[in-house]
Amino acid sequence: MEYLLIFISAIFVNNIVLSQFLGICPFLGVSKKVDTALGMAAAVAFVLTLSTIVTYLLQKLVLDAFGLGYLQTITFILVIAGLVQMVEIVLKKVSPALYQALGVFLPLITTNCCILGVAILVIQKDFDLLTGVIYAFSTALGFGLALVLFAGMREQMSLSAIPKGMQGTPIALLTAGLLAMAFMGFSGVDKGLAALFGV
């Protein structure tokens, strides 16, 4: 039941983009079309889950063991950048079709602060490895949900008559704010479920 609560909370209640404001750059930059949003969401889910496993093990087995906790941020950045490059190389050799499908999204993930943020949050919340992986995957799903919803709204807006002063970034930011307000409607759902099931 605890895992279900983490799952629901990470996707809806504490959405990484809409309530914690991590990953805003790809959220605004890669959300003009639904198909590109889906590609980015898939790439983020894969890299986020993989990087959480590696950074967790690195933190527990190396940084904590040798008292090097102060190197956490720089180490995690290097690990994430290295993982993205490694995944890109392996995908290019093993599955060229998937590599072509992900395209430019893999290098973009290196600069996505959502990946680093979740890796650090897993350590700060003192999750075990399984809970951390569930949290990371759920967060990636939440990121993907917000990205795809926003992309759908932007595609719809491109067909609408929007005043000249609001076109482009202003209407995108206004829409993102309205989407964040809509997700605020989920606040308390995790606490209600926890009370209902006595967790």
Side-chain angles (χ1 to χ4, degrees):
M1 195 64 207
E2 179 192 348
Y3 297 136
L4 180 63
L5 288 175
I6 289 171
F7 186 77
I8 290 170
S9 178
I11 294 175
F12 299 108
V13 181
N14 296 317
N15 188 285
I16 197 80
V17 179
L18 300 174
S19 71
Q20 298 182 37
F21 306 112
L22 291 173
I24 293 288
C25 295
F27 180 71
L28 292 173
V30 192
S31 59
K32 290 184 179 162
K33 294 186 186 266
V34 172
D35 56 342
T36 55
L38 282 169
M40 183 63 160
V44 165
F46 180 70
V47 172
L48 184 56
T49 308
L50 186 64
S51 67
T52 299
I53 294 168
V54 174
T55 54
Y56 179 89
L57 293 173
L58 191 66
Q59 177 76 34
K60 297 298 179 188
L61 300 177
V62 178
L63 297 180
D64 287 349
F66 295 104
L68 300 171
Y70 59 92
L71 293 174
Q72 181 190 62
T73 304
I74 190 71
T75 306
F76 283 13
I77 289 170
L78 291 172
V79 165
I80 291 166
L83 271 175
V84 169
Q85 291 302 313
M86 187 182 72
V87 166
E88 194 172 356
I89 291 167
V90 168
L91 278 180
K92 199 172 188 178
K93 297 257 185 214
V94 174
S95 177
L98 183 58
Y99 175 76
Q100 288 294 328
L102 291 176
V104 74
F105 302 123
L106 272 174
L108 280 176
I109 291 172
T110 308
T111 58
N112 188 348
C113 59
C114 170
I115 310 289
L116 177 63
V118 170
I120 292 173
L121 282 171
V122 165
I123 303 301
Q124 285 179 348
K125 291 177 185 244
D126 202 26
F127 287 148
D128 58 49
L129 183 58
L130 178 60
T131 308
V133 169
I134 290 170
Y135 175 74
F137 184 70
S138 305
T139 301
L141 289 180
F143 176 83
L145 176 66
L147 189 64
V148 170
L149 283 174
F150 189 54
M153 293 166 84
R154 286 184 79 176
E155 274 191 4
Q156 202 61 29
M157 283 187 302
S158 69
L159 305 173
S160 304
I162 296 169
K164 188 169 177 159
M166 289 295 290
Q167 290 176 1
T169 305
I171 194 70
L173 291 173
L174 186 64
T175 307
L178 292 172
L179 187 60
M181 286 173 61
F183 267 69
M184 282 177 61
F186 293 112
S187 62
V189 169
D190 55 342
K191 291 180 180 70
L193 286 172
L196 182 66
F197 293 106
V199 177

